[in-house]
């Protein structure tokens, strides 16, 4: 038996050795060789602005702790913006082509990119756009172009904004699957679908004002670029007067109706090359990588730290899709202790989430503020918990169409009492003390427990309101009047004192430099996420994550639905979360 045991141990050892060697060789090849060569930008080049894989502001830096490997990605929106800014003075770049672009960016992100393209045009270089079809949001971006082309059988979507909300009250009663809701805030409409069969007056009021404010910002920008009055643009939207290429051209929304080959020939003319020559193209992600690697400014010792807080707020480490207390607090501490860092810009793109984590990040900002200034730049969302972590900054910047506010909290408890009765299941409890069982989804919600839960919600709401009042120099009464879960556009938030100025990241960085008393500085991005060895296998295709397997099986849209269900069921404790997810198409 001992002999067989030794043989088995030897076999297992050899197997493990060969597996380690096998994966080691693959990893070394992936890390140090066999990758794509660095792109060389040729003279007389055109940047192709493909945004299909650009989603987050920050692409992320990751330190794989148990395998000495550090990875930095350069395919976030912030990298794209820096690349376009550099391209303005790059003699090799002659223009930008937006070709059949389908963007995953939010409306405030689109505004930031649009502004950067507008600035790029000041160099005298061209921005051309071609689309087989234009969605409304994509047209908003493309309308900045010098010349807009559309396919002869294409279409353009320009009709205004709308919101659609599904209500579940009747379904709950019929199925027995009920959601018990504890909330503070008459506008906290995240939970309204579980309580009502229709939209409340308060919710309709805030949604209407929010959509109108965002639409006004969009129309104003398009009007300026296309030299069409906002009044006429609204008439076009009302009557769907740009629904065909011919109608869109007649109204001045596009310049040329043509096939794609004509578009490319016109770019050749702009480059002053012959029609049979291929012109030099460089993908925006490759160009951003080139700029990041080759044009790092190390001449200044002064640093403005840019800390990205993007995604829902949860516990744990966090990543590019979720704000975690681990990476956020560590980043703030590092920036605070680094003598070269003169100020901090906190870039927030979040609808909120866990209230406790929001408080912990708020506390870290409070400690940091005592040492050096903190300026907030708001992206698409900085709402509920996202506003919680912004409210005590020295200065707050938002885009006109940023969604912010939503100062309110709630808790949701699933209750299946009626559902299990219909299935013939009876649940009994035995306990030593009245409150020993806390909450069970298979028992009716006890009035005592509801009272304790409501007490917790009221306490968190009271703390939230005080944090805002102290940070914004308002009274708690003033904050409560504009709080109660109500969401505001950046433009409206400016009027009521929730933000200081309308502007993007550049303006926030300049303000941080002013407060930090530095004229010459460089920026440094945070957080640096800490991951485990297993994650690197997934990155290089050696292992497939659960998410990627599910996404492949059910499709992208169904995966998003499953993800939201998982997020709802995973919510623990009181939530400072925005009322709903708003996607502008």
């Amino acid at each position: 038996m001992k002999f067989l045991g030794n043989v088995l141990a030897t076999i297992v050892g050899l197997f493990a050795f060969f597996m380690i060697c096998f994966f080691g060789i693959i990893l070394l090849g992936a890390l140090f060789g066999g990758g794509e060569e660095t792109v060389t930008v040729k003279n007389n080049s055109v940047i192709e602005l493909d945004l299909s894989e650009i989603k987050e502001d920050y692409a992320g830096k990751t330190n794989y702790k148990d395998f000495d490997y550090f990875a930095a990605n350069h395919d976030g929106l912030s990298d794209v913006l820096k690349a376009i800014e550099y391209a303005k003075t790059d003699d090799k770049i002659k223009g930008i082509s937006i070709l059949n672009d389908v963007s995953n960016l939010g409306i405030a992100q689109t505004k930031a990119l649009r502004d950067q393209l507008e600035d790029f045009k000041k160099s005298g270089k061209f921005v051309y756009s071609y689309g087989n079809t234009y969605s409304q949001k994509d047209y908003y971006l493309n309308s900045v172009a010098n010349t807009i082309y559309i396919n002869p059988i294409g279409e353009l979507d320009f009709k205004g904004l709308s919101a659609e909300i599904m209500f579940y009250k009747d379904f709950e009663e019929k199925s027995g699957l009920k959601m018990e809701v504890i909330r503070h805030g008459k506008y906290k409409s995240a939970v309204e679908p579980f309580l009502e069969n229709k939209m409340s007056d308060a919710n309709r009021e805030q949604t209407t004002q929010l959509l109108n404010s965002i639409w006004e910002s969009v129309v104003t920008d398009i009007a300026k670029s296309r030299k069409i009055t906002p009044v006429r643009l609204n008439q076009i939207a009302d009557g769907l007067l740009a629904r065909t290429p011919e109608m869109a051209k007649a109204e001045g929304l596009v310049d040329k109706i043509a096939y794609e080959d004509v578009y490319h020939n016109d770019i050749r003319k702009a480059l002053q090359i012959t029609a049979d020559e291929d012109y030099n193209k460089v993908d925006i992600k490759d160009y951003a990588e080139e700029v990041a690697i080759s044009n790092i400014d190390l001449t200044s010792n002064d640093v403005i730290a840019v800390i990205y807080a993007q995604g829902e707020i949860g516990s744990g480490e966090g990543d590019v899709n979720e704000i975690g207390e681990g990476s956020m607090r560590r980043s703030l501490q590092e920036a605070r202790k680094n003598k070269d860092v003169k100020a901090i810009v906190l870039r927030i793109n979040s609808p909120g989430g866990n209230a406790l984590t929001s408080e912990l990040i708020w506390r870290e900002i409070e400690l940091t503020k005592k040492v050096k200034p903190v300026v907030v730049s708001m992206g698409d969302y900085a709402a509920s918990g996202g506003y919680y972590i912004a409210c005590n900054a020295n200065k707050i910047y938002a885009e006109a169409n940023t969604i912010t506010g939503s100062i309110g909290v709630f808790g949701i408890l699933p209750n299946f009492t009626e559902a299990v009765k219909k299935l013939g299941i009876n649940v009994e409890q035995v306990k030593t003390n009245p409150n020993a069982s806390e909450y069970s989804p298979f028992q009716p919600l006890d009035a005592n427990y509801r009272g304790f839960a409501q007490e917790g919600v009221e306490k968190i709401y009271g703390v939230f309101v005080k944090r805002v009042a102290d940070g914004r120099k308002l009274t708690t009464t003033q904050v409560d009047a504009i709080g109660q879960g109500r969401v505001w556009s950046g433009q409206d938030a400016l009027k009521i004192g929730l933000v200081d100025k309308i502007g993007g990241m550049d303006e926030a960085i300049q303000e941080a430099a002013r407060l930090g008393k530095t004229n010459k500085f460089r920026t440094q991005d945070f957080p640096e996420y800490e991951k485990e060895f297993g994650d690197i296998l997934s990155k290089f295709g050696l292992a497939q994550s659960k998410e990627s397997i599910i996404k492949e099986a059910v499709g992208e849209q169904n995966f998003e639905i499953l993800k939201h269900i998982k997020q709802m069921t995973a919510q623990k404790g009181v939530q400072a979360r925005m009322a709903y997810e708003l996607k502008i198409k």
Side-chain angles (χ1 to χ4, degrees), residues 98-345:
I98 314 175
L99 178 60
N100 283 320
D101 180 55
V102 177
S103 169
N104 293 309
L105 299 175
I107 192 68
Q109 290 176 312
T110 302
K111 162 72 172 169
L113 178 55
R114 200 179 184 284
D115 288 347
Q116 194 68 64
L117 290 169
E118 191 73 69
D119 184 63
F120 174 85
K121 290 195 307 180
K122 293 176 183 177
S123 66
K125 300 178 182 183
F126 65 81
V127 176
Y128 284 179
S129 161
Y130 183 90
N132 290 324
T133 62
Y134 288 104
S135 73
Q136 191 160 243
K137 185 182 68 177
D138 291 335
Y139 178 74
Y140 173 50
L141 174 64
N142 284 259
S143 65
V144 76
N146 299 93
T147 308
I148 304 175
Y149 296 71
I150 191 169
N151 188 293
I153 55 171
E155 57 185 40
L156 190 152
D157 186 26
F158 192 77
K159 59 182 182 294
L161 305 181
S162 68
E164 187 175 77
I165 301 172
M166 194 176 290
F167 292 84
Y168 310 107
K169 187 179 179 183
D170 284 349
F171 170 77
E172 289 179 287
E173 291 175 359
K174 290 177 181 178
S175 67
L177 302 173
K178 187 180 179 183
M179 302 300 285
E180 300 285 1
V181 174
I182 299 98
R183 64 172 173 170
H184 182 108
K186 63 180 180 179
Y187 292 99
K188 204 66 185 175
S189 53
V191 294
E192 190 175 270
F194 302 115
L195 302 173
E196 306 291 343
N197 278 327
K198 63 179 183 178
M199 189 180 288
S200 66
D201 292 340
N203 192 11
R204 185 173 294 278
E205 175 193 353
Q206 72 160 345
T207 304
T208 301
Q209 185 168 338
L210 178 66
L211 290 177
N212 281 331
S213 184
I214 293 172
W215 178 244
E216 181 184 352
S217 172
V218 168
V219 166
T220 299
D221 285 342
I222 294 174
K224 183 179 177 182
S225 294
R226 299 303 301 171
K227 295 180 174 54
I228 306 171
T229 66
V231 171
R232 184 54 188 165
L233 283 171
N234 275 302
Q235 290 171 346
I236 293 169
D238 291 344
L240 300 179
L241 303 180
R243 62 186 182 272
T244 68
E246 291 76 18
M247 294 172 78
K249 187 173 185 297
E251 293 292 349
L253 268 65
V254 301
D255 298 295
K256 291 189 178 183
I257 301 171
Y259 289 102
E260 190 179 323
D261 57 287
V262 175
Y263 171 75
H264 290 296
N265 282 335
D266 283 358
I267 290 179
R268 290 185 179 94
K269 290 175 186 176
L271 297 174
Q272 297 181 342
I273 62 175
T274 61
D276 58 351
E277 285 185 76
D278 288 333
Y279 63 89
N280 301 320
K281 310 179 188 75
V282 57
D283 184 85
I284 186 60
K285 289 193 297 180
D286 292 333
Y287 188 72
E289 183 87 19
E290 170 76 11
V291 169
I293 293 172
S294 306
N295 297 281
I296 301 173
D297 179 16
L298 299 175
T299 59
S300 175
N301 291 326
D302 290 355
V303 173
I304 302 298
V306 181
I307 302 176
Y308 291 88
Q310 54 192 33
E312 294 203 3
I313 300 173
S315 57
E317 172 65 12
D319 56 29
V320 292
N321 300 305
E322 183 179 53
I323 301 168
E325 62 179 277
S327 57
M328 286 300 298
R329 294 177 71 188
R330 189 171 61 250
S331 298
L332 285 161
Q333 289 166 10
E334 288 178 11
R336 184 167 75 231
K337 294 172 184 176
N338 188 336
K339 292 180 180 179
D340 290 338
V341 173
K342 302 305 177 185
I344 295 164
V345 171

Side-chain angles (χ1 to χ4, degrees), residues 231-489:
V231 171
R232 184 54 188 165
L233 283 171
N234 275 302
Q235 290 171 346
I236 293 169
D238 291 344
L240 300 179
L241 303 180
R243 62 186 182 272
T244 68
E246 291 76 18
M247 294 172 78
K249 187 173 185 297
E251 293 292 349
L253 268 65
V254 301
D255 298 295
K256 291 189 178 183
I257 301 171
Y259 289 102
E260 190 179 323
D261 57 287
V262 175
Y263 171 75
H264 290 296
N265 282 335
D266 283 358
I267 290 179
R268 290 185 179 94
K269 290 175 186 176
L271 297 174
Q272 297 181 342
I273 62 175
T274 61
D276 58 351
E277 285 185 76
D278 288 333
Y279 63 89
N280 301 320
K281 310 179 188 75
V282 57
D283 184 85
I284 186 60
K285 289 193 297 180
D286 292 333
Y287 188 72
E289 183 87 19
E290 170 76 11
V291 169
I293 293 172
S294 306
N295 297 281
I296 301 173
D297 179 16
L298 299 175
T299 59
S300 175
N301 291 326
D302 290 355
V303 173
I304 302 298
V306 181
I307 302 176
Y308 291 88
Q310 54 192 33
E312 294 203 3
I313 300 173
S315 57
E317 172 65 12
D319 56 29
V320 292
N321 300 305
E322 183 179 53
I323 301 168
E325 62 179 277
S327 57
M328 286 300 298
R329 294 177 71 188
R330 189 171 61 250
S331 298
L332 285 161
Q333 289 166 10
E334 288 178 11
R336 184 167 75 231
K337 294 172 184 176
N338 188 336
K339 292 180 180 179
D340 290 338
V341 173
K342 302 305 177 185
I344 295 164
V345 171
L346 181 64
R347 171 68 173 186
I348 301 174
N349 201 355
S350 172
N354 186 279
L356 174 59
T357 302
S358 301
E359 167 72 8
L360 295 175
I361 296 171
W362 172 90
R363 174 61 179 169
E364 208 64 59
I365 293 169
E366 195 70 9
L367 293 173
T368 303
K369 243 174 51 177
K370 294 176 181 178
V371 179
K372 51 194 68 173
V374 178
V375 176
V376 160
S377 168
M378 294 180 171
D380 290 319
Y381 299 89
S384 208
Y387 188 76
Y388 198 130
I389 65 175
C391 67
N392 60 333
N394 296 90
K395 283 288 175 69
I396 300 177
Y397 283 74
E399 297 284 9
N401 46 25
T402 294
I403 298 170
T404 188
S406 192
I407 301 165
V409 294
F410 68 88
I412 297 179
L413 302 168
N415 193 286
F416 310 133
T417 306
E418 295 302 319
V420 295
K421 279 183 182 177
K422 291 179 181 182
L423 294 171
I425 299 171
N426 183 44
V427 180
E428 298 283 347
Q429 287 184 345
V430 178
K431 48 192 174 183
T432 61
N433 297 83
N435 298 305
S437 62
E438 290 190 327
Y439 174 75
S440 168
F442 304 108
Q443 298 284 344
L445 180 61
D446 178 76
N448 246 7
Y449 187 86
R450 178 181 283 278
F452 296 142
Q454 188 70 48
E455 183 182 283
V457 165
E458 297 298 335
K459 180 182 177 181
I460 295 294
Y461 180 74
V463 173
F464 194 170
V465 167
K466 188 175 188 313
R467 298 288 183 248
V468 176
D470 291 344
R472 301 304 301 162
K473 295 180 174 54
L474 300 168
T475 67
T476 54
T477 302
Q478 287 174 316
V479 175
D480 187 52
I482 58 178
Q484 307 246 357
R486 180 163 183 169
V487 292
W488 305 88
S489 70

Side-chain angles (χ1 to χ4, degrees), residues 3-161:
F3 171 75
L4 290 174
N6 289 337
V7 170
L8 182 60
T10 302
I11 292 172
V12 171
L14 286 170
F15 176 76
F17 172 76
F18 285 122
M19 288 299 291
I20 290 170
C21 289
F22 174 72
F23 283 117
I25 290 168
I26 293 177
L27 280 172
L28 288 172
L31 296 176
F32 304 113
E36 294 181 8
E37 294 182 2
T38 303
V39 172
T40 301
V41 181
K42 300 175 182 178
N43 289 324
N44 221 29
S45 288
V46 174
I47 292 175
E48 289 194 328
L49 192 63
D50 180 1
L51 302 171
S52 58
E53 296 180 12
I54 309 294
K55 185 176 181 181
E56 307 293 351
D57 285 332
Y58 177 52
K61 301 174 184 175
T62 306
N63 176 29
Y64 294 94
K65 296 183 294 183
D66 48 0
F67 183 78
D68 190 15
Y69 174 60
F70 178 82
N73 297 319
H74 301 289
D75 55 359
L77 177 61
S78 61
D79 302 295
V80 170
L81 297 177
K82 289 174 187 174
I84 294 173
E85 182 181 13
Y86 183 78
K88 183 180 173 183
T89 56
D90 186 348
D91 293 336
K92 294 180 180 179
I93 300 299
K94 302 303 179 186
I96 294 176
S97 166
I98 314 175
L99 178 60
N100 283 320
D101 180 55
V102 177
S103 169
N104 293 309
L105 299 175
I107 192 68
Q109 290 176 312
T110 302
K111 162 72 172 169
L113 178 55
R114 200 179 184 284
D115 288 347
Q116 194 68 64
L117 290 169
E118 191 73 69
D119 184 63
F120 174 85
K121 290 195 307 180
K122 293 176 183 177
S123 66
K125 300 178 182 183
F126 65 81
V127 176
Y128 284 179
S129 161
Y130 183 90
N132 290 324
T133 62
Y134 288 104
S135 73
Q136 191 160 243
K137 185 182 68 177
D138 291 335
Y139 178 74
Y140 173 50
L141 174 64
N142 284 259
S143 65
V144 76
N146 299 93
T147 308
I148 304 175
Y149 296 71
I150 191 169
N151 188 293
I153 55 171
E155 57 185 40
L156 190 152
D157 186 26
F158 192 77
K159 59 182 182 294
L161 305 181

